[in-house]
Amino acid sequence: MGCGTSSSMKDKKSEKALKAALVIQNWYRGHSAQLKTRQRYALTIFQSIEYADEQGQLELSNFFSFMLENYTRLLEEDSELVTHLFDSNIQDKDRQDYWVLIDVPDSYCGPRLQFPLTFTDIDLLIEAFKQQQILHAYYVLEVLFETKKLLQQMPNFTHIKTSPSKEITICGDLHGKLDDLFLIYYKNGLPSVSNPYVFNGDFVDRGKNSMEILMILFVSFLVYPNDLHLNRGNHEDFMMNMRYGFTNEVLHKYKLHGKKILQVLEDIYTWLPIGTIIDNEILVIHGGISESTDLNLLHRIERNKLKSVLMPPIPIDGDHATEKGNKVGTTITARGIRTNGSLSEQLTKHEWEQVIDILWSDPRGKRGCYPNTGRGGGCYFGPDITSKILNKYQLKMLIRSHECKPEGYEICHDGKVITVFSASNYYEEGSNRGAYIRVSSGTPPRFFQYQVTRATCLRPLYQRMNAVESRAIRMLKERMISQKTDLIRVFQLQDSSKSGKLSVGQWAFSMENILGLNLPWRSLSSHLVTTDKDGNIDYMSSFQDIHIQKPVKEVQSTLIETVYRYRSDLQIIFNVIDSNHSGLISMEEFRSIWKLFKSHYRVCVDDSQLDELTERMDLNKDGSIDFNEFLKAFYVVHKFDKLSKSDTKVA
């Protein structure tokens, strides 16, 4: 009898333990699902803002065409601007022009490369960069010139073969994330004859170590030109570099020779191959395809004529244009500009569009091919377009990059399209994994995921997700405050009773109408506004904890918001015009550019307000302003940035 009681007790304990385990399991699954949902929303915000910025960057291409058509005085006085924008055939300069005055002092303790380069130099460079050493400009320029010389011998598409015993590794965007490249090389091995790689573009921008990544990749390419393959991405473009950080990185690290390094890099970008074809079966390109993608044409184009995908070919209408010669040999027509015949050195519009498509396009589940409204360039292509193009050229698979994915890779279009993205923590620490792919003849692709972890590895998952979510909401609020006036106007139109409140539906409609980010506003409302007990939104609470700092208090908010919203575009425009990198622009030139900018972007701002603002910013009254400092004066202040006590408020 005692034994029976003991057995019954054990059964009850086991039953309780099982129930407890199921409760814990269900809680954990629910908690994990909740964290995944929060991560998905945060990534959606990051990507929507990123693509909206890229859309703005592509709009700059239209502005530069508009500017050069209208700003004739600038062209007559500064032919270098026209050459800088449109002459894609940069003259090769004698190496002595660059190196004769560059001395490597005995005190330099960084890596010293020995040409011709060997495997040892790759290892030397990696170890030096792990110690945060800077490669001397002398060696940087030598690597760049040797790389250009080798790239000029490469075809537009690199054709390579694998075998069951020889895999090739494909890496996606790195975006200046040096630790990710270190981790890939550590896990997967350094490049070699038996360990080939394809790096599928976007090596630079956003991250802090784009130059180091380029140097490692270029040195690896010089050592193993048949086993390390480099494809051009949409960020291998000097115009993109101006907005997304690489230009500033180079000028900061190489204050003396940075401008020369950038000039050579501009030329190198044009010689990077635009794709790789593996085993005549797998097409590897950075972005994607369209219904009109012509691989035969893309094999034939003179890729070095494409200096920037953001500068479309200038149309010339010889029959209708009224031409006017000027003192610098520039011909200005009603529809374009010619500089000493340089237009013969540009791609045709059709060729340019073909390259845009393969660098900028994204796959989608919807059938067909339609404009990429998110990025503003390239297209969205459906599974039917993938099948059509692959079948046409007897290919089996498309491997592309260009999009951050939570797990580092994604498979779509019935397994025919794979996206691989190799920059982990792309938006924020913990935001996404990175991945690379290994492929070989006759076997399915193998995927390898990773995530660079430092301080974050000591923090619980929910804390890391809180940080990611907080950063996403912060960026979204900065977007909102940049269009505060427009948002309030639409809110008030919806608020017929003048109550200061809107339904969630009305608020969400207004937000999408003005910001155009295609976000789940209803779900995000709890993070952005306050809601009363009836579920109505106090729409002015959208701006209660954030404002744009005014450099001059008397200036109207509309002007402040406009300059803040377009500050990146304006900075690029002024930097392009500032051909000598002085950082200064005359008041007259500033006003002329602003008028063209205002006209092209349809900005409604009183010019007298801008005049007052620029005069205040001309601190030494010499008729010029430091435009970089001018634009830095417009910044967002978040309430919690200034809180030192719980009751501190933003005025």
Side-chain angles (χ1 to χ4, degrees):
M1 189 172 180
C3 291
T5 303
S6 174
S7 175
S8 176
M9 292 284 289
K10 285 181 180 178
D11 289 343
K12 287 182 179 179
K13 286 182 179 180
S14 297
E15 186 178 346
K16 285 183 179 179
L18 181 60
K19 286 182 178 179
L22 289 172
V23 169
I24 293 171
Q25 185 183 63
N26 288 335
W27 173 87
Y28 179 76
R29 285 176 175 173
H31 182 65
S32 297
Q34 188 180 47
L35 290 177
K36 285 287 184 185
T37 300
R38 290 171 61 190
Q39 181 191 38
R40 187 172 67 251
Y41 280 154
L43 288 179
T44 299
I45 293 171
F46 284 131
Q47 284 191 329
S48 294
I49 293 174
E50 177 188 6
Y51 295 169
D53 284 342
E54 289 183 346
Q55 193 175 80
Q57 181 76 350
L58 285 166
E59 177 60 27
L60 273 179
S61 67
N62 297 326
F63 173 75
F64 279 118
S65 297
F66 176 80
M67 182 183 75
L68 291 174
E69 287 171 9
N70 290 273
Y71 199 12
T72 57
R73 183 186 60 77
L74 175 64
L75 297 178
E76 291 170 357
E77 294 181 0
D78 190 359
S79 62
E80 185 177 343
L81 169 62
V82 183
T83 303
H84 184 69
L85 290 177
F86 293 104
D87 188 359
S88 61
N89 189 23
I90 298 173
Q91 294 293 318
D92 282 329
K93 297 185 179 181
D94 185 0
R95 294 186 177 199
Q96 295 304 315
D97 290 346
Y98 285 96
W99 292 334
V100 69
L101 298 177
I102 299 179
D103 178 49
V104 183
D106 294 337
S107 59
Y108 169 69
C109 56
R112 294 175 180 267
L113 303 180
Q114 298 291 327
F115 287 80
L117 298 170
T118 65
F119 178 88
T120 305
D121 292 291
I122 302 174
D123 207 39
L124 176 71
L125 209 53
I126 290 173
E127 291 307 312
F129 290 157
K130 284 181 179 178
Q131 302 300 318
Q132 299 184 343
Q133 296 177 355
I134 300 292
L135 183 65
H136 196 279
Y138 177 89
Y139 299 113
V140 170
L141 287 165
E142 191 166 8
V143 167
L144 293 181
F145 276 114
E146 290 296 325
T147 299
K148 178 186 171 183
K149 186 168 68 174
L150 196 52
L151 285 173
Q152 287 175 320
Q153 303 171 30
M154 304 287 292
N156 292 349
F157 286 82
T158 310
H159 289 254
I160 53 182
K161 293 283 187 182
T162 66
S163 65
S165 61
K166 184 180 179 181
E167 292 182 307
I168 187 164
T169 302
I170 304 169
C171 299
D173 301 36
L174 285 168
H175 278 301
K177 299 275 190 176
L178 184 59
D179 286 338
D180 287 294
L181 182 58
F182 287 157
L183 189 56
I184 291 168
Y185 276 1
Y186 173 77
K187 289 169 64 73
N188 196 61
L190 293 175
S192 68
V193 174
S194 59
N195 191 28
Y197 278 85
V198 174
F199 286 91
N200 197 27
D202 279 14
F203 321 124
V204 300
D205 281 334
R206 301 190 186 279
K208 297 179 180 179
N209 297 106
S210 296
M211 177 54 77
E212 286 77 10
I213 284 178
L214 277 186
M215 286 297 101
I216 291 173
L217 294 182
F218 287 168
V219 168
S220 300
F221 172 63
L222 291 172
V223 176
Y224 297 108
N226 298 316
D227 303 291
L228 188 131
H229 310 281
L230 302 171
N231 289 344
R232 186 176 186 176
N234 65 308
H235 278 262
E236 279 67 62
D237 186 305
F238 82 95
M239 291 286 286
M240 294 292 284
N241 297 165
M242 285 183 181
R243 180 189 288 263
Y244 294 107
F246 184 43
T247 297
N248 289 337
E249 178 189 330
V250 173
L251 293 174
H252 175 72
K253 290 178 178 176
Y254 297 95
K255 292 179 174 61
L256 207 56
H257 305 289
K259 184 179 176 182
K260 292 179 181 178
I261 290 171
L262 289 171
Q263 287 172 345
V264 181
L265 274 170
E266 283 181 29
D267 209 15
I268 284 179
Y269 289 160
T270 70
W271 287 105
L272 285 168
I274 54 178
T276 302
I277 296 177
I278 301 172
D279 296 324
N280 292 322
E281 294 182 346
I282 301 174
L283 174 65
V284 185
I285 51 178
H286 181 72
I289 54 178
S290 74
E291 60 185 350
S292 61
T293 293
D294 185 342
L295 293 184
N296 293 327
L297 173 64
L298 287 166
H299 272 78
R300 296 193 307 268
I301 66 168
E302 297 178 73
R303 68 180 187 275
N304 62 300
K305 291 183 177 181
L306 185 69
K307 185 174 182 184
S308 171
V309 295
L310 300 177
M311 301 306 300
I314 308 169
I316 295 297
D317 189 341
D319 296 329
H320 303 290
T322 301
E323 301 188 353
K324 179 177 74 173
N326 62 46
K327 61 185 178 183
V328 295
T330 301
T331 303
I332 304 169
T333 75
R335 296 184 58 200
I337 298 100
R338 285 200 289 266
T339 58
N340 297 325
S342 68
L343 286 180
S344 64
E345 298 302 322
Q346 65 178 357
L347 296 178
T348 66
K349 186 173 186 294
H350 178 61
E351 290 172 336
W352 177 78
E353 289 171 344
Q354 287 279 311
V355 179
I356 285 281
D357 283 341
I358 67 169
L359 294 184
W360 281 84
S361 296
D362 296 305
R364 289 295 182 266
K366 178 181 173 183
R367 290 173 61 84
C369 183
Y370 42 102
N372 192 327
T373 53
R375 297 184 191 269
C379 71
Y380 293 129
F381 61 98
D384 55 324
I385 302 301
T386 295
S387 296
K388 171 188 170 183
I389 298 299
L390 293 182
N391 290 338
K392 181 178 180 179
Y393 295 102
Q394 300 179 324
L395 298 166
K396 293 183 178 179
M397 184 183 293
L398 166 63
I399 296 180
R400 42 91 63 179
S401 302
H402 196 42
E403 288 184 286
C404 176
K405 298 297 179 182
E407 299 302 317
Y409 73 93
E410 185 177 85
I411 304 171
C412 64
H413 292 186
D414 300 319
K416 294 178 181 178
V417 174
I418 297 175
T419 298
V420 59
F421 195 86
S422 299
S424 67
N425 308 308
Y426 177 57
Y427 295 113
E428 183 72 15
E429 288 286 338
S431 64
N432 65 284
R433 293 183 179 183
Y436 57 87
I437 307 172
R438 289 179 68 90
V439 299
S440 64
S441 177
T443 60
R446 296 195 296 147
F447 302 92
F448 298 83
Q449 299 167 287
Y450 55 86
Q451 190 158 19
V452 172
T453 54
R454 287 186 173 176
T456 55
C457 64
L458 303 176
R459 295 158 58 192
L461 179 60
Y462 78 91
Q463 287 187 2
R464 282 179 271 161
M465 189 48 56
N466 285 345
V468 172
E469 190 176 61
S470 175
R471 175 61 180 155
I473 295 299
R474 182 187 180 98
M475 289 177 65
L476 185 53
K477 286 190 172 185
E478 290 175 6
R479 202 84 183 186
M480 290 163 58
I481 198 67
S482 73
Q483 296 197 252
K484 179 180 178 180
T485 301
D486 293 332
L487 283 169
I488 291 175
R489 175 177 51 81
V490 174
F491 290 154
Q492 290 175 342
L493 285 173
Q494 294 277 334
D495 180 19
S496 56
S497 63
K498 310 301 179 187
S499 64
K501 294 183 178 181
L502 296 174
S503 69
V504 175
Q506 288 174 316
W507 177 82
F509 173 81
S510 301
M511 293 292 286
E512 185 58 34
N513 185 40
I514 295 299
L515 299 180
L517 294 174
N518 195 27
L519 289 172
W521 294 108
R522 291 171 180 267
S523 301
L524 294 170
S525 61
S526 61
H527 297 282
L528 301 171
V529 288
T530 56
T531 307
D532 66 17
K533 57 184 176 56
D534 298 320
N536 294 317
I537 286 174
D538 174 4
Y539 53 78
M540 290 306 293
S541 65
S542 305
F543 318 107
Q544 66 184 4
D545 58 356
I546 185 172
H547 72 269
I548 302 174
Q549 185 68 30
K550 287 186 177 183
V552 178
K553 291 183 179 179
E554 295 80 4
V555 175
Q556 293 176 357
S557 296
T558 307
L559 174 60
I560 298 298
E561 291 168 22
T562 300
V563 176
Y564 177 77
R565 186 162 68 249
Y566 291 110
R567 67 196 185 284
S568 296
D569 301 304
L570 289 167
Q571 189 167 30
I572 292 169
I573 291 166
F574 293 142
N575 272 307
V576 168
I577 292 170
D578 179 32
S579 55
N580 64 353
H581 293 273
S582 68
L584 299 175
I585 189 169
S586 71
M587 300 286 280
E588 180 185 354
E589 203 167 47
F590 185 96
R591 291 189 185 102
S592 298
I593 291 295
W594 174 259
K595 286 179 180 178
L596 287 174
F597 184 86
K598 190 176 76 165
S599 173
H600 181 73
Y601 283 86
R602 296 181 176 85
V603 172
C604 298
V605 173
D606 184 2
D607 286 343
S608 63
Q609 284 280 308
L610 184 75
D611 290 341
E612 180 181 356
L613 182 60
T614 52
E615 286 172 9
R616 295 284 190 96
M617 296 298 290
D618 181 14
L619 300 178
N620 59 0
K621 307 302 178 186
D622 65 349
S624 298
I625 60 171
D626 183 326
F627 57 83
N628 289 306
E629 290 302 318
F630 171 80
L631 295 171
K632 284 179 185 176
F634 299 83
Y635 60 92
V636 167
V637 177
H638 292 262
K639 177 180 179 181
F640 299 107
D641 288 345
K642 300 181 71 178
L643 280 181
S644 55
K645 297 181 181 179
S646 61
D647 58 350
T648 304
K649 294 183 179 180
V650 175

